[in-house]
Amino acid sequence: MKEKKITTTVQVFDTIEELPPEVRLLMKKAQAIRDQAYAPYSKFKVGAAIQLEDEVIVTGSNQENAAYPSGLCAERTAIFYAGSQYPHKKMKTMAICIKSSAKVVTEPIAPCGACRQTIAEYEVKQDQPIEIYFMGEEGKIIKAKALLDLLPLAFDASFL
Ligand code: THU
């Protein structure tokens, strides 16, 4: 038996002002759509904005349902829209932010496992990394240079 160590590297920005201007704009779009989220049950609002290879930006927020598992996360709402409306355009960057009614979240909140798996599918499909930036309501922002940096040992179509 051998041990194999798997590591990842992310970048940490102290404030939104530190982000490159186009990413700051993307995060602002994510914040705007987040505030429109339909989250009456969790009161945990999430926004996602995706910059496509041209100027197009696609956004999405979490959409909850009285039958709880029928709801959908913000990241998947956005990426399924991008995948269906712009199937031939590559996705460059995704910005994600949250807002909880319970407290002011100052730590970056990473996308859930199901969303990572979903984003990974498009990253593999387009054979180009998707940069992921995520934050709480305020405070630091974490950047991963590729989704697969957040999903070691990912499952993909090559296993089928
Ligand atoms: N949620 C997201 O939108 N994205 C995530 O990555 C994690 C969780 C949503 C789902 C649900 O509406 C609420 O946050 C609480 O889990």
Short mmCIF file of all heavy atoms in Angstrom, two decimals, residues 30-39 45-47 61-63:
data_model
loop_
_atom_site.label_atom_id
_atom_site.label_comp_id
_atom_site.label_asym_id
_atom_site.label_seq_id
_atom_site.Cartn_x
_atom_site.Cartn_y
_atom_site.Cartn_z
N ALA A 30 -23.50 38.59 -9.94
CA ALA A 30 -23.89 37.46 -9.08
C ALA A 30 -24.61 37.97 -7.84
O ALA A 30 -25.61 37.38 -7.40
CB ALA A 30 -22.65 36.64 -8.70
N GLN A 31 -24.15 39.07 -7.29
CA GLN A 31 -24.80 39.64 -6.10
C GLN A 31 -26.20 40.12 -6.44
O GLN A 31 -27.14 39.93 -5.67
CB GLN A 31 -23.96 40.80 -5.54
CG GLN A 31 -22.66 40.32 -4.89
CD GLN A 31 -21.71 41.45 -4.56
OE1 GLN A 31 -21.78 42.54 -5.14
NE2 GLN A 31 -20.80 41.20 -3.63
N ALA A 32 -26.35 40.75 -7.60
CA ALA A 32 -27.66 41.28 -7.99
C ALA A 32 -28.67 40.14 -8.18
O ALA A 32 -29.81 40.23 -7.71
CB ALA A 32 -27.53 42.11 -9.27
N ILE A 33 -28.26 39.07 -8.86
CA ILE A 33 -29.20 37.96 -9.09
C ILE A 33 -29.44 37.20 -7.79
O ILE A 33 -30.54 36.70 -7.55
CB ILE A 33 -28.70 37.02 -10.23
CG1 ILE A 33 -29.85 36.17 -10.76
CG2 ILE A 33 -27.56 36.15 -9.80
CD1 ILE A 33 -30.68 36.83 -11.80
N ARG A 34 -28.41 37.12 -6.94
CA ARG A 34 -28.57 36.46 -5.63
C ARG A 34 -29.72 37.10 -4.84
O ARG A 34 -30.52 36.40 -4.22
CB ARG A 34 -27.27 36.62 -4.84
CG ARG A 34 -27.36 36.17 -3.39
CD ARG A 34 -26.25 36.75 -2.56
NE ARG A 34 -26.37 38.20 -2.44
CZ ARG A 34 -25.43 39.02 -2.02
NH1 ARG A 34 -24.24 38.53 -1.68
NH2 ARG A 34 -25.62 40.33 -1.93
N ASP A 35 -29.79 38.42 -4.89
CA ASP A 35 -30.81 39.11 -4.10
C ASP A 35 -32.22 38.83 -4.60
O ASP A 35 -33.20 39.12 -3.92
CB ASP A 35 -30.50 40.61 -4.06
CG ASP A 35 -29.21 40.89 -3.29
OD1 ASP A 35 -28.76 40.00 -2.53
OD2 ASP A 35 -28.63 41.98 -3.45
N GLN A 36 -32.32 38.26 -5.81
CA GLN A 36 -33.62 37.88 -6.38
C GLN A 36 -33.91 36.38 -6.20
O GLN A 36 -34.87 35.87 -6.77
CB GLN A 36 -33.64 38.14 -7.90
CG GLN A 36 -33.19 39.51 -8.33
CD GLN A 36 -34.24 40.56 -8.03
OE1 GLN A 36 -35.42 40.24 -7.92
NE2 GLN A 36 -33.81 41.79 -7.86
N ALA A 37 -33.04 35.69 -5.47
CA ALA A 37 -33.20 34.23 -5.33
C ALA A 37 -34.55 33.89 -4.72
O ALA A 37 -35.11 34.67 -3.93
CB ALA A 37 -32.08 33.66 -4.46
N TYR A 38 -35.04 32.72 -5.08
CA TYR A 38 -36.29 32.23 -4.48
C TYR A 38 -35.89 31.19 -3.43
O TYR A 38 -35.68 30.01 -3.76
CB TYR A 38 -37.19 31.62 -5.56
CG TYR A 38 -38.49 31.08 -5.01
CD1 TYR A 38 -39.39 31.91 -4.35
CD2 TYR A 38 -38.81 29.74 -5.13
CE1 TYR A 38 -40.57 31.42 -3.82
CE2 TYR A 38 -39.99 29.23 -4.61
CZ TYR A 38 -40.87 30.08 -3.95
OH TYR A 38 -42.03 29.58 -3.42
N ALA A 39 -35.70 31.66 -2.21
CA ALA A 39 -35.21 30.78 -1.14
C ALA A 39 -36.04 30.96 0.13
O ALA A 39 -35.51 31.29 1.20
CB ALA A 39 -33.73 31.07 -0.88
N LYS A 45 -29.58 32.72 0.31
CA LYS A 45 -29.65 33.10 -1.10
C LYS A 45 -28.28 32.96 -1.76
O LYS A 45 -27.27 33.38 -1.17
CB LYS A 45 -30.15 34.54 -1.23
CG LYS A 45 -31.58 34.70 -0.78
CD LYS A 45 -32.08 36.12 -1.05
CE LYS A 45 -33.60 36.18 -0.82
NZ LYS A 45 -34.16 37.45 -1.26
N VAL A 46 -28.28 32.40 -2.95
CA VAL A 46 -27.03 32.19 -3.68
C VAL A 46 -27.19 32.76 -5.08
O VAL A 46 -28.25 32.62 -5.70
CB VAL A 46 -26.69 30.68 -3.77
CG1 VAL A 46 -25.31 30.47 -4.39
CG2 VAL A 46 -26.75 30.02 -2.40
N GLY A 47 -26.13 33.40 -5.57
CA GLY A 47 -26.13 33.92 -6.93
C GLY A 47 -24.90 33.43 -7.67
O GLY A 47 -23.83 33.26 -7.08
N SER A 61 -29.92 32.09 -9.86
CA SER A 61 -30.01 32.08 -8.40
C SER A 61 -30.66 30.76 -7.98
O SER A 61 -31.25 30.06 -8.80
CB SER A 61 -30.86 33.25 -7.91
OG SER A 61 -32.17 33.14 -8.42
N ASN A 62 -30.54 30.44 -6.69
CA ASN A 62 -31.16 29.18 -6.24
C ASN A 62 -32.68 29.31 -6.24
O ASN A 62 -33.24 30.36 -5.95
CB ASN A 62 -30.63 28.72 -4.87
CG ASN A 62 -30.67 29.76 -3.78
OD1 ASN A 62 -30.53 30.95 -4.04
ND2 ASN A 62 -30.84 29.32 -2.56
N GLN A 63 -33.32 28.23 -6.64
CA GLN A 63 -34.77 28.17 -6.78
C GLN A 63 -35.27 27.01 -5.93
O GLN A 63 -35.04 25.85 -6.26
CB GLN A 63 -35.15 27.96 -8.26
CG GLN A 63 -34.67 29.07 -9.18
CD GLN A 63 -35.34 30.41 -8.90
OE1 GLN A 63 -36.56 30.47 -8.79
NE2 GLN A 63 -34.56 31.47 -8.74
#
